[in-house]
Amino acid sequence: TPNAQAVKPTGYSERAGVLELGGGGGGGAAGDMERMFMDRLNKAQGELMRAKDVKEAQVLHSVSIAAFDLTGGSTLTVTYPPEIQFSDAEKEHLASFCFPEGAHLHTEDWSYVFWRDRAGKFLYGTGFYQPQHDERHKRGAMQRSMLVLSECPYFAMFDSLMRLGMHHFWETDMDEHVLEDIFVNVNRVFRDGIQMHNSTVDLWGNQLPIHVTPYSNDTYSGASLLTLVQWLRKKTLYVWYALLLRQRLLFSGTTEGARSVSICCISAPLLILPLFGFATCIFPYVPITNVEPLSLQTYIAGITNPLFEDPKWSDLMVVLSKSGKVKCQHKDEIRLSFSDKFFIDHVYSKVKSGHASEEWVRAQFLEFTVKFLKKISSPTAQLSRVEQKILSTWEDSPAWFHFTESL
């Protein structure tokens, strides 16, 4: 998958119904609109992470090591703190996220997890797979992964510390105190008042940066519309329509790994802001041992097993590949209009040229979506069958109420 690098534009100016890069200062009309809608949305939801919430939260719920064996399967072998007691079924279930199918073909892989525990608490997980090559073992390596569970959706924030943690785990001959060091030191940083800015955590003499970003429904650390457009290109708008129709949206990365599909899953909801409401039906990686999520009427899910590329599993399937080509398989009435194609051509051309930032891409889609929602909400509008279906899908939802209240 492409490396998401872009140059941040200095300003924007309007032309032909879309935003062009320009020379002026400030965030432009779309930037102002984005701030307006997100400020109102976050205030209405009351779910934006406040500084005191971060300080009071146990940011790291637990840190575990998972092991995989060809005959015995996968399970969590050790967890810190020790008072966290998972059942055997929970250990196997959580470990299934830590060894994405096909992961042994990569030097490392990542998977993201949305999980509700027995007490009903919603937890977010990051699994990091990094085997230790040893020809004495099956598949020529010791299969181990690290799993971090958090009360906050800080997926990308844990990248560097988990990579260092696994390195230290192997260097110390699998010393389980590595888990304690991560848990204690990261939570200490938050208790000491990291709040909403950059800080560092000290692990084994290494100063690792931690950047905390506020979040609200359907907005997660590590999500990137810039990356999504880089990967999906002009097919991004098929995903936009699938989300508005609340379809079964499946990302497949049989050659790309779980990291790619996980990023797609947590990034996709940003396409249709200010609408929200996907938090309980996002499954960034679905293991073959737990396919229940794919039986839901609405989901955003990622898979790395080609068995699930059968059209029966989804309404829209997006297949990523190492060649950079993306296949979209859809069986609904999605047809891009001239204005749709004009919009995505414009956005992708700026992304491809390297002259688009994450902020700019988000602003483009926010303005595009708001314009569309205003159109279908007008009592005098002549709507197509798809537009009527989208309106009926959302008009009784909290997201629609907050949108119309903000107008």
Side-chain angles (χ1 to χ4, degrees):
T1 51
N3 188 21
Q5 297 291 331
V7 178
K8 185 175 181 179
T10 56
Y12 322 102
S13 62
E14 286 193 66
R15 194 183 72 181
V18 294
L19 293 181
E20 293 283 0
L21 295 176
D32 292 340
M33 182 180 292
E34 179 176 24
R35 285 188 290 273
M36 176 189 72
F37 273 104
M38 291 311 298
D39 286 347
R40 292 180 179 179
L41 175 61
N42 289 325
K43 182 178 180 180
Q45 291 175 271
E47 293 182 8
L48 183 64
M49 177 59 82
R50 300 183 298 273
K52 71 180 185 67
D53 295 328
V54 175
K55 195 170 182 179
E56 292 170 0
Q58 184 86 315
V59 175
L60 287 192
H61 168 274
S62 59
V63 187
S64 303
I65 291 293
F68 174 80
D69 181 80
L70 280 175
T71 56
S74 57
T75 188
L76 299 186
T77 57
V78 60
T79 295
Y80 190 89
E83 57 266 26
I84 300 295
Q85 296 290 321
F86 297 116
S87 67
D88 289 344
E90 287 174 325
K91 289 179 181 179
E92 293 179 8
H93 177 68
L94 288 170
S96 69
F97 297 109
C98 298
F99 299 97
E101 290 166 75
H104 63 284
L105 302 175
H106 306 279
T107 57
E108 64 180 41
D109 201 3
W110 304 76
S111 58
Y112 299 155
V113 183
F114 287 54
W115 183 65
R116 196 181 298 275
D117 68 10
R118 283 172 292 172
K121 178 182 292 185
F122 209 81
L123 297 173
Y124 305 89
T126 301
F128 176 49
Y129 167 79
Q130 188 185 66
Q132 178 78 351
H133 294 286
D134 189 334
E135 294 302 325
R136 295 172 298 177
H137 293 266
K138 295 176 181 179
R139 291 191 176 178
M142 295 180 66
Q143 307 285 332
R144 296 291 187 275
S145 292
M146 179 176 290
L147 175 67
V148 166
L149 290 177
S150 173
E151 297 179 10
C152 309
Y154 291 150
F155 301 108
M157 190 181 76
F158 300 126
D159 284 5
S160 58
L161 69 90
M162 292 183 73
R163 183 176 280 112
L164 178 62
M166 279 303 293
H167 175 77
H168 202 67
F169 179 74
W170 292 123
E171 287 290 306
T172 58
D173 197 23
M174 298 188 291
D175 187 345
E176 296 176 1
H177 287 94
V178 169
L179 309 184
E180 179 181 1
D181 292 342
I182 293 174
F183 180 88
V184 170
N185 285 287
V186 171
N187 279 335
R188 178 185 294 129
V189 169
F190 281 84
R191 284 196 306 271
D192 290 347
I194 181 174
Q195 299 186 19
M196 291 298 169
H197 53 75
N198 295 321
S199 189
T200 58
V201 58
D202 187 350
L203 284 172
W204 313 294
N206 298 277
Q207 297 294 320
L208 301 181
I210 288 183
H211 178 62
V212 180
T213 55
Y215 64 85
S216 61
N217 268 353
D218 297 347
T219 305
Y220 307 103
S221 165
S224 171
L225 278 193
L226 177 62
T227 299
L228 195 69
V229 174
Q230 284 178 326
W231 293 350
L232 307 191
R233 305 180 184 181
K234 298 178 183 181
K235 294 182 174 68
T236 306
L237 268 195
Y238 288 109
V239 175
W240 184 81
Y241 271 111
L243 292 168
L244 289 175
L245 290 164
R246 293 191 66 86
Q247 293 183 333
R248 299 174 300 161
L249 173 59
L250 192 58
F251 293 96
S252 174
T254 57
T255 61
E256 292 299 87
R259 179 67 176 270
S260 296
V261 296
S262 290
I263 291 174
C264 287
C265 287
I266 67 171
S267 301
L270 296 173
L271 289 170
I272 65 165
L273 289 176
L275 298 182
F276 61 90
F278 292 95
T280 59
C281 57
I282 297 177
F283 307 93
Y285 170 68
V286 176
I288 197 170
T289 55
N290 180 31
V291 299
E292 287 86 353
L294 302 187
S295 65
L296 299 175
Q297 292 183 338
T298 297
Y299 64 70
I300 303 171
I303 54 101
T304 59
N305 190 315
L307 290 175
F308 296 118
E309 292 186 358
D310 188 310
K312 71 179 182 181
W313 290 104
S314 63
D315 298 310
L316 175 67
M317 175 173 295
V318 180
V319 182
L320 307 176
S321 69
K322 287 189 179 298
S323 67
K325 294 182 179 179
V326 177
K327 292 193 303 181
C328 274
Q329 302 172 3
H330 54 87
K331 52 188 178 184
D332 208 296
E333 61 269 63
I334 300 176
R335 296 290 185 272
L336 300 186
S337 67
F338 175 81
S339 60
D340 292 337
K341 294 176 181 178
F342 181 84
F343 167 75
I344 195 59
D345 284 350
H346 168 74
V347 172
Y348 179 63
S349 68
K350 296 299 182 184
V351 170
K352 184 179 179 180
S353 68
H355 291 92
S357 68
E358 176 69 25
E359 179 185 32
W360 184 84
V361 176
R362 292 194 188 195
Q364 301 304 300
F365 274 95
L366 180 66
E367 185 189 42
F368 184 71
T369 303
V370 168
K371 182 179 179 180
F372 175 81
L373 297 179
K374 285 182 176 179
K375 172 191 172 183
I376 66 173
S377 64
S378 171
T380 60
Q382 297 294 316
L383 303 182
S384 68
R385 187 164 61 91
V386 173
E387 291 169 337
Q388 290 173 347
K389 188 173 181 180
I390 292 172
L391 179 60
S392 64
T393 297
W394 289 94
E395 61 183 347
D396 294 326
S397 70
W400 190 261
F401 171 78
H402 292 311
F403 166 69
T404 55
E405 283 291 296
S406 67
L407 295 178

